[in-house]
Every structure is written in C-alpha cells, then in structure tokens.
Amino acid sequence: MKMYDKKCIAIVLIITLMFSVLPMSAFAEQADTIEGVRVEDDTWYVSTTEGLLAWNHAANTALATSGSSLNLVLETDLDITGMEWTPVGNEAAPFTGTIDGKGYTITGLTITNTTWENVGFLGDLAEGGIVKNLNLENINIVLNDAADVYVGSIAGYTWDDAVITDCSVAGKMNISTAANE
C-alpha cells in the first residue's frame, strides 16, 4: 500500500474517532449547566424535571449521532405531567445502556407526537439494555397512526436479552389514537 493511501486511511480513522467521541463530552458539558444533573462518564444522575428532559434530548441525540447510549440514574421522584416526552431509542438506534430508577417514580409520562414505530419511555430496548427499579405512574400516549406500532410503558419494543427488572406501572394509562381525541 502506498504511503499516500495509509495517510488517507489514518486521517479518516482519526476524524471518525473524533466525531464518535465528541458528542459524549459535549453532552457532559451541557449537563453541567443544568441544576439537578451530575454526569460521571456516560451516566447522568438526575434529581430535577429539567434534568430528566435534558437527558431525554441528549440520549436521543447521542443515539442518532454516535449510536451511544447515555445511562440514567434517578435520585428522586419526578413529575413530568404536561411535558412532551420523546421515546429514547428506535429500531435503527436502540437503547443499550442502563436506567436505574432506584425505586423512584416518574409521574405523567406524556407522548403525543408519535411518528415512531415503538412508543414508551424507551422506544427500543436492545440486547445489553437494562431498566431496573423504575416506577411509572399516570401515562398518556396518543398515537397518530395505530398501524404497526408497538406500545409499552417502560419500552415500546424489547429485544431478546434486554432486561427489565423490579419496575412497576401504576395509576391511569391512557393510550388512544389522534382520531379518538
């Protein structure tokens, strides 16, 4: 192989590595400015509603840009009633990280902009993904089109070897189509 070809391959590999690592550090810097969020490695420790919504955005962005999952640890009960939630992960970029609710409850999960195939707190939970000790209460999901959609409270779709353990769903769970609203 010519020296020129080796240099080109090295440059491409370096650029690829930079773009695959850059988003994670950018999310950590963003999280440092949000009250109630502490980030260690790829894990967000969240104790505010704003922190949970910021994790939601950052987790979806990280999956879309680098395929990396941001872990989540809750540090208190959180009420997100009236705030729009975007399911984390999809078939092309499923969630493979860990969510530890530590026994805390997220109340008022609301999903109304459903253009996804799999709908829940997580859209897709893939092999290696773990959700534990998480409680959800009073869920409202409005589907735009009910054809070919998987819906679940914790995860819309769970792949083989994904783990959901010691979780609960309580209260009212309303799932409807936009035509029924």
Side-chain angles (χ1 to χ4, degrees):
M1 188 180 289
K2 295 179 182 178
M3 183 60 99
Y4 175 77
D5 291 339
K6 289 181 182 179
K7 286 182 181 178
C8 286
I9 291 171
I11 291 171
V12 169
L13 288 173
I14 290 169
I15 290 171
T16 303
L17 181 60
M18 285 173 45
F19 281 109
S20 68
V21 173
L22 180 62
M24 301 313 264
S25 61
F27 295 128
E29 289 173 13
Q30 171 195 3
D32 288 339
T33 65
I34 301 168
E35 185 176 336
V37 174
R38 176 175 47 90
V39 177
E40 294 177 10
D41 299 318
D42 293 337
T43 301
W44 286 44
Y45 296 83
V46 174
S47 62
T48 63
T49 301
E50 294 77 17
L52 182 62
L53 295 173
W55 173 84
N56 179 244
H57 176 73
N60 276 310
T61 302
L63 284 168
T65 59
S66 67
S68 300
S69 292
L70 298 177
N71 302 315
L72 171 67
V73 176
L74 292 183
E75 297 191 313
T76 190
D77 293 327
L78 297 171
D79 188 344
I80 57 173
T81 302
M83 299 175 195
E84 184 66 24
W85 184 262
T86 302
V88 176
N90 57 47
E91 189 172 354
F95 184 80
T96 58
T98 298
I99 296 174
D100 186 354
K102 291 176 58 178
Y104 293 114
T105 300
I106 297 174
T107 301
L109 180 68
T110 301
I111 303 169
T112 59
N113 184 19
T114 55
T115 56
W116 309 279
E117 294 175 353
N118 304 320
V119 180
F121 183 76
L122 300 174
D124 278 68
L125 179 63
E127 182 176 339
I130 299 170
V131 181
K132 59 185 180 180
N133 309 313
L134 177 65
N135 305 306
L136 298 178
E137 186 174 89
N138 297 335
I139 299 169
N140 184 42
I141 298 173
V142 179
L143 303 172
N144 292 335
D145 181 6
D148 299 324
V149 176
Y150 291 97
V151 178
S153 51
I154 303 288
Y157 188 84
T158 304
W159 298 26
D160 291 340
D161 297 324
V163 175
I164 299 175
T165 184
D166 296 323
C167 295
S168 71
V169 179
K172 181 179 176 185
M173 185 168 179
N174 177 34
I175 300 175
S176 63
T177 61
N180 294 335
E181 284 293 295

